[in-house]
Amino acid sequence: MNPIAFKIGPIPVHWYGIIIAVAIGAGLLTAKRLGRHFDFYSGLFEEFLVWALPAALVGARLWYVLFQLDYYLAHPGKIIAVWEGGLAIHGAIFAAIGVALLWTRAKKINFLRFADVAAPALVLGQAIGRWANFVNQEAYGSPTDLPWALFIAGEYRHPTFLYESVWNLLIFIGLYYFLKSKPEPGRVFALYLVGYSFGRFFIEGLRTDSLMLGSLRVGQVISVLMIAAGLVLFFLANKMKRKVQDGEINPEN
């Protein structure tokens, strides 16, 4: 597949950018729709994206550079060459969470409820965005003779971008309907951390382009840490619910 969709004069417009734009748009519409159930005002998520998108781009690039540091120290001019590839989703997620923590504090919005609403939107965007990897013929797995293998880089391989896209779509459906039941703040976000990371851990093991930390795959290490963080958050949300029910905490405070 030609990675260039069309040209505007001499300027090429890549499928990668189009797909990422669609992913962002789908995530935004989803967040706005879900946000209405929690009285988030119109325009809230657009305001957030003004800050979060640049931070996510920088975070995704810096994360990739950090784990390819020897190469980029030798070629510092390549650090900003994002058009050559090299964006890591974990860096984007952590940067966006950092911005959300600061932004919701400034706006006096409950961060955990905001994160609950953002989580289904984020994972839907991830499900769509993985198809940008298909267009660029990247984020694929090891050779296999399974019937659903795709011909990539001269061999039939695990389509790991497809695996993650399907997994993320399933996570989205589960989180979307769970959020509509209005669970305790933080529980949907916690399930995102656990669910996405659980699938990513196993899918990462099939990939051939993993960022490495010594002999460990960075994606798997981070997945384990995110699962642990999600389980702790889910437990704390349940504990908070019990304290409210027992009258130990005023839910309006």
Side-chain angles (χ1 to χ4, degrees):
M1 183 174 180
N2 189 341
I4 298 175
F6 57 88
K7 291 185 177 181
I8 302 176
I11 302 174
V13 178
H14 291 257
W15 279 113
Y16 189 98
I18 293 173
I19 294 171
I20 295 301
V22 170
I24 293 170
L28 174 60
L29 292 175
T30 300
K32 287 172 67 68
R33 181 182 180 87
L34 290 171
R36 289 198 292 268
H37 295 283
F38 299 95
D39 298 322
F40 286 148
Y41 64 82
S42 178
L44 175 76
F45 290 96
E46 289 91 337
E47 291 179 20
F48 173 67
L49 286 180
V50 169
W51 299 96
L53 286 179
L57 176 60
V58 173
R61 182 58 173 175
L62 289 180
W63 190 266
Y64 184 84
V65 169
L66 177 64
F67 292 102
Q68 301 281 352
L69 198 56
D70 288 344
Y71 173 80
Y72 286 104
L73 286 176
H75 304 86
K78 294 284 189 178
I79 290 177
I80 63 171
V82 294
W83 52 90
E84 294 181 0
L87 297 174
I89 187 63
H90 280 130
I93 291 171
F94 295 145
I97 290 174
V99 169
L101 283 165
L102 297 173
W103 189 81
T104 53
R105 183 179 179 85
K107 291 284 186 176
K108 294 180 170 53
I109 296 170
N110 184 312
F111 166 76
L112 289 178
R113 184 57 85 198
F114 180 84
D116 283 342
V117 174
L122 173 59
V123 80
L124 175 61
Q126 290 176 254
I128 296 170
R130 276 302 175 193
W131 286 94
N133 297 132
F134 167 71
V135 173
N136 275 13
Q137 297 284 278
E138 60 190 10
Y140 50 76
S142 56
T144 180
D145 57 1
L146 291 171
W148 54 81
L150 293 180
F151 193 75
I152 307 169
E155 293 184 81
Y156 283 95
R157 298 175 177 272
H158 283 285
T160 46
F161 47 80
L162 173 61
Y163 298 165
E164 190 168 328
S165 180
V166 173
W167 178 254
N168 287 346
L169 185 59
L170 292 174
I171 296 297
F172 162 71
I173 293 170
L175 295 184
Y176 185 91
Y177 287 102
F178 182 51
L179 181 62
K180 284 197 167 185
S181 69
K182 294 190 176 182
E184 295 70 35
R187 294 187 75 187
V188 174
F189 180 51
L191 288 177
Y192 162 76
L193 294 175
V194 173
Y196 166 66
S197 300
F198 180 82
R200 177 63 186 268
F201 179 89
F202 292 102
I203 294 168
E204 188 72 25
L206 297 173
R207 287 179 58 168
T208 60
D209 63 342
S210 297
L211 297 174
M212 303 299 293
L213 183 62
S215 61
L216 300 176
R217 295 174 186 259
V218 174
Q220 290 185 319
V221 173
I222 297 302
S223 291
V224 170
L225 295 176
M226 288 175 68
I227 289 170
L231 290 174
V232 169
L233 178 57
F234 193 86
F235 171 77
L236 290 177
N238 274 334
K239 186 175 180 181
M240 188 70 69
K241 177 186 178 182
R242 289 195 297 270
K243 287 187 176 182
V244 170
Q245 290 173 338
D246 294 341
E248 297 177 36
I249 296 177
N250 184 346
E252 297 185 3
N253 289 341

